[in-house]
Amino acid sequence: MKPDEFRQHAHEVVDWIADYLEHADRYPVCSRSRPGDLLNALPDAAPEEGEPMSRILADFERDIMPGITHWNHPRFFAYFPANNSGPSILGEMLSAGLGVNAMLWQTSPAATELEQRMMSWLGQLIGLPDGFHGVIHDTASTATFCALVCARERTTNFAINHSGLTGAAERGALRVYASREAHSSVLKGARLAGFGADHVVAVDIDAQRRMDAADLERRVTADREAGFVPCAVVATVGTTGCTAIDPLTAIAPVARRHRLWLHVDAALAGTAAILPEMRWILDGVAGADSLVFNPHKWLLTNFDCSAFYVRDPDHLQRTMSIHPEYLKTTRDAEVVNYMDWGMQLGRRFRALKLWFVLRSYGAQQLREMVAGHLALARAFAALVEADPEWELLAPVPLNTVCFRWRPAGLVDADTLNERNAALMARVNLDGVIYLTHTKLDDTTTLRLSVGQRATGPEHVQQAWDALRAGARALSGKDADEDA
Ligand SMILES: *Cc1c(COP(=O)(O)O)cnc(C)c1O
């Protein structure tokens, strides 16, 4: 592509993105694609001859857009947020334009040093105590996996890195502790890091679904007596189901006493700690060995950008680094080479978009956005609480409301589960809002998660209206069937 052609199409694409950012609400939130729709529309093989960009862009509109679920739609309330913003997109464009690989300091000194500084800025914003050092990973799943590998090597004094999982069979099995509300990435990480699913121990939770530190203590002690080797505990600050906040102040002393690696998974909720009034969610984090949170969820930085912090970067590097001759440089003693801080060799220049976001908005506007989302979640919770046909199913410490429809006179648990599943399917198909569910114990629970850039009070009200209209329509259908 000649520079002039690039310029022309780049302008078209930027115009398209600007329109999209302004009008994402014109689309149904959740894609209505059926399985195979796009696959069947695409040729079986790549074209032999190049095609004009005008045709590619037209096909993007025609074939790709119907298969898009609009994560940045103001009425996207599903899962957790994955918001973006103008400044972030601009930083991402420049990063793509530069096309650099941030594996070594030398392969782009600015990419490494900007990442160092951004991790320090972010750590200060969420109130991390001094002594944590950060690196950007793609996802929280990767960070948690790295934390578990670090834990494994600390407990075994690098025996597994050297001799492998089978080389040290005389040792008791290493164990990882987490509550059953922990994210699936903990189980996945533990499996891939060689702990095995059987050695991920579910710690009891209290009535608010927070980890019970006394139960952690009991299980670790019992496991030691039984010949296991307790190795790591993953505490979740803001669980995926209902944003429960495991008490780090109670968990950290247990971890210290038993020499467990304490990893804090604050993937979603870490962002809330930029608010002084929410700092308490990380109380006790000084006792952690590592923490992850995702600016790509709730901090206006488009996917992917996950901030991983460790107390002991030397240990992380000793666990991860391997230095083939071709990657050695004369400056290795003076600089950070982020390839030694994780699984990947090649790394994207993600700090750039973060720099654009943090400078363009400033901490104050970011705090206002997060505070606004928290207020919207509380407002929605108040609507639910005030209506006798609806009920809250969990406290609302953050941006996520767990609730269900409870029509008068209906008490049977299975029927309530079915009704709520039917209601969710109905409103999502309608396209006005998109929300998803979880199970809290055996209760089908609707979740409304607020966190998109443009979500305001009117959108939350529309969600409430859509849910009640859906419920009325379902009740009407029942009445017709009864009659
Ligand atoms: C979203 C989330 C994850 C997974 O994040 P990825 O970056 O997609 O791997 C893990 N833990 C918690 C608590 C989350 O909210």
Side-chain angles (χ1 to χ4, degrees):
M1 182 175 272
K2 298 199 183 69
D4 272 353
E5 284 176 72
F6 175 78
R7 193 183 306 280
Q8 180 204 327
H9 296 305
H11 282 293
E12 285 166 30
V13 166
V14 168
D15 283 341
W16 189 95
I17 296 173
D19 286 343
Y20 177 73
L21 292 178
E22 201 176 347
H23 298 302
D25 59 351
R26 288 185 184 158
Y27 297 88
V29 193
C30 183
S31 167
R32 290 168 176 158
S33 269
R34 285 154 306 173
D37 276 359
L38 178 61
L39 266 181
N40 295 330
L42 297 172
D44 289 338
E48 204 57 45
E49 305 286 334
E51 300 181 57
M53 190 49 64
S54 56
R55 195 189 309 157
I56 301 171
L57 289 172
D59 288 352
F60 166 77
E61 279 277 2
R62 192 193 57 189
D63 295 333
I64 305 299
M65 284 308 286
I68 295 298
T69 289
H70 299 277
W71 283 75
N72 281 276
H73 194 298
R75 291 185 302 268
F76 180 98
F77 298 111
Y79 306 104
F80 38 76
N83 64 24
N84 71 2
S85 64
S88 170
I89 296 165
L90 294 175
E92 189 79 290
M93 281 166 60
L94 287 171
S95 172
L98 295 170
V100 304
N101 185 328
M103 60 193 198
L104 300 170
W105 179 87
Q106 180 169 286
T107 58
S108 273
T112 293
E113 294 186 14
L114 190 64
E115 184 163 337
Q116 289 177 283
R117 186 60 76 206
M118 289 308 100
M119 289 299 92
S120 160
W121 284 11
L122 267 188
Q124 292 170 44
L125 282 175
I126 65 167
L128 273 192
D130 287 344
F132 280 98
H133 301 267
V135 54
I136 305 181
H137 280 328
D138 53 1
T139 60
S141 303
T142 299
T144 295
F145 170 74
C146 287
L148 291 173
V149 175
C150 284
R152 185 189 82 188
E153 294 309 310
R154 190 173 76 177
T155 300
T156 63
N157 197 20
F158 297 92
I160 295 179
N161 262 6
H162 289 294
S163 321
L165 294 163
T166 49
E170 68 280 4
R171 181 182 34 243
L174 302 174
R175 292 205 135 174
V176 176
Y177 303 80
S179 94
R180 67 182 145 88
E181 296 287 317
H183 189 262
S184 53
S185 56
V186 177
L187 180 59
K188 190 173 188 172
R191 274 171 26 180
L192 298 182
F195 290 89
D198 290 349
H199 298 292
V200 179
V201 178
V203 180
D204 285 352
I205 52 177
D206 68 11
Q208 293 187 44
R209 295 176 188 279
R210 301 173 298 197
M211 182 188 287
D212 174 357
D215 186 63
L216 173 66
E217 170 84 44
R218 273 193 298 276
R219 287 179 193 270
V220 169
T221 306
D223 279 353
R224 265 198 207 295
E225 280 162 16
F228 295 111
V229 181
C231 174
V233 54
V234 181
T236 311
V237 169
T239 59
T240 308
C242 68
T243 64
I245 292 155
D246 288 347
L248 302 180
T249 41
I251 294 165
V254 181
R256 194 175 328 112
R257 204 155 41 244
H258 295 280
R259 294 185 304 282
L260 306 179
W261 183 284
L262 172 55
H263 175 62
V264 177
D265 176 3
L268 166 79
T271 293
I274 69 173
L275 294 174
E277 66 270 28
M278 293 305 294
R279 283 278 164 81
W280 63 269
I281 64 177
L282 294 178
D283 281 354
V285 74
D289 293 288
S290 56
L291 171 140
V292 62
F293 94 99
N294 285 349
H296 73 223
K297 278 185 165 159
W298 198 6
L299 204 60
L300 294 176
T301 307
N302 62 281
F303 194 83
D304 52 356
C305 183
S306 184
F308 179 48
Y309 289 92
V310 290
R311 268 260 172 230
D312 184 352
D314 292 338
H315 179 79
L316 173 65
Q317 290 172 74
R318 224 183 125 192
T319 302
M320 298 288 165
S321 71
I322 292 179
H323 280 186
E325 189 55 37
Y326 87 102
L327 294 174
K328 290 185 180 149
T329 77
T330 51
R331 297 206 187 262
D332 286 349
E334 300 165 62
V335 298
V336 163
N337 289 319
Y338 273 128
M339 68 163 190
D340 294 336
W341 291 54
M343 172 60 216
Q344 295 178 266
L345 169 61
R347 307 175 68 255
R348 283 157 32 70
F349 184 8
R350 302 183 186 95
L352 194 58
K353 60 187 171 186
L354 199 51
W355 190 49
F356 275 45
V357 167
L358 296 179
R359 291 189 61 193
S360 174
Y361 288 99
Q364 198 46 45
Q365 275 193 74
L366 294 171
R367 289 192 197 105
E368 280 164 21
M369 175 194 73
V370 172
H373 290 153
L374 297 180
L376 289 176
R378 283 195 299 271
F380 183 85
L383 293 171
V384 170
E385 266 191 311
D387 190 320
E389 297 239 314
W390 298 77
E391 67 179 338
L392 285 183
L393 294 174
V396 185
L398 291 168
N399 68 328
T400 306
V401 186
C402 289
F403 65 103
R404 71 172 168 178
W405 176 36
R406 185 165 199 159
L410 193 50
V411 290
D412 179 64
D414 289 341
T415 314
L416 276 169
N417 284 353
E418 282 162 25
R419 306 263 69 194
N420 278 278
L423 174 62
M424 184 177 78
R426 187 184 178 100
V427 296
N428 286 344
L429 192 66
D430 222 34
V432 176
I433 64 168
Y434 181 31
L435 79 176
T436 50
H437 78 288
T438 189
K439 283 250 167 153
L440 294 178
D441 300 323
D442 293 324
T443 301
T444 298
T445 302
L446 306 181
R447 284 170 79 263
L448 181 114
S449 162
V450 184
Q452 297 316 327
R453 185 188 62 254
T455 301
E458 67 277 25
H459 305 109
V460 170
Q461 183 64 46
Q462 283 169 318
W464 180 233
D465 293 344
L467 283 158
R468 282 191 307 171
R472 271 196 304 278
L474 282 178
S475 307
K477 227 173 79 206
D478 290 348
D480 290 349
E481 276 162 18
D482 291 347

